[in-house]
Amino acid sequence: MREEEADFLKKVRIIGAGLAGSEAAWQCARRGMAVDSMVSGGCIISGAHVSRSLLFSNCRINSFARAQDAVVLPDANIGRHARLNRVVIDRGCDIPEGMVIGEDPKSDAERFYVSESGITLVTPEMLDGLAR
């Protein structure tokens, strides 16, 4: 990416809601971004938003997903439209499309382990139990 392109992507304002404005907004939304995060090699952030998070190697965060205050261990896959807040995702987890974790403590406690401070731990075994 050229330096001029990188500067352009830092601040984008789209004015107008016509066809061109809609297309510009769509293209900006499709770009994955990580803000105040550490992302290891091999990670793919495909049209997702990651903030204040730590992604270990070979993680994939799919389109329209959001991870905030998350630790995602190696080889995890976060499905499209998933929302993760204050979570630790164990190695090899495959978070289903549209799953929401970390927004409703009562619901999270029924499915996963929630610490006293409100951090939710998700393991592959816990996810397998949901499928049954």
Side-chain angles (χ1 to χ4, degrees):
M1 182 179 299
R2 293 188 319 243
E3 189 174 329
E4 301 87 40
E5 289 177 311
D7 288 339
F8 170 75
L9 292 176
K10 289 179 185 173
K11 293 182 182 177
V12 177
R13 287 194 178 102
I14 298 167
I15 300 170
L19 207 55
S22 296
E23 177 64 20
W26 173 254
Q27 291 300 325
C28 288
R30 293 282 301 144
R31 292 183 188 270
M33 68 169 38
V35 178
D36 295 332
S37 299
M38 293 188 69
V39 180
S40 297
C43 290
I44 297 172
I45 302 173
S46 175
H49 183 86
V50 177
S51 62
R52 297 187 313 262
S53 297
L54 175 60
L55 305 183
F56 283 77
S57 58
N58 302 319
C59 295
R60 181 176 178 96
I61 316 291
N62 289 290
S63 299
F64 309 108
R66 189 185 79 221
Q68 184 172 328
D69 300 320
V71 176
V72 183
L73 296 175
D75 304 316
N77 180 55
I78 311 302
R80 293 168 54 94
H81 299 281
R83 296 194 318 262
L84 308 176
N85 295 297
R86 297 185 51 145
V87 299
V88 176
I89 305 296
D90 196 12
R91 173 187 294 271
C93 280
D94 189 6
I95 304 297
E97 185 171 323
M99 180 168 269
V100 177
I101 305 171
E103 293 181 13
D104 180 2
K106 187 178 268 188
S107 172
D108 290 341
E110 293 172 359
R111 303 176 296 165
F112 309 113
Y113 173 79
V114 180
S115 72
E116 290 179 14
S117 61
I119 306 295
T120 305
L121 172 66
V122 180
T123 66
E125 294 78 20
M126 293 172 183
L127 291 168
D128 289 342
L130 295 176
R132 295 180 191 155

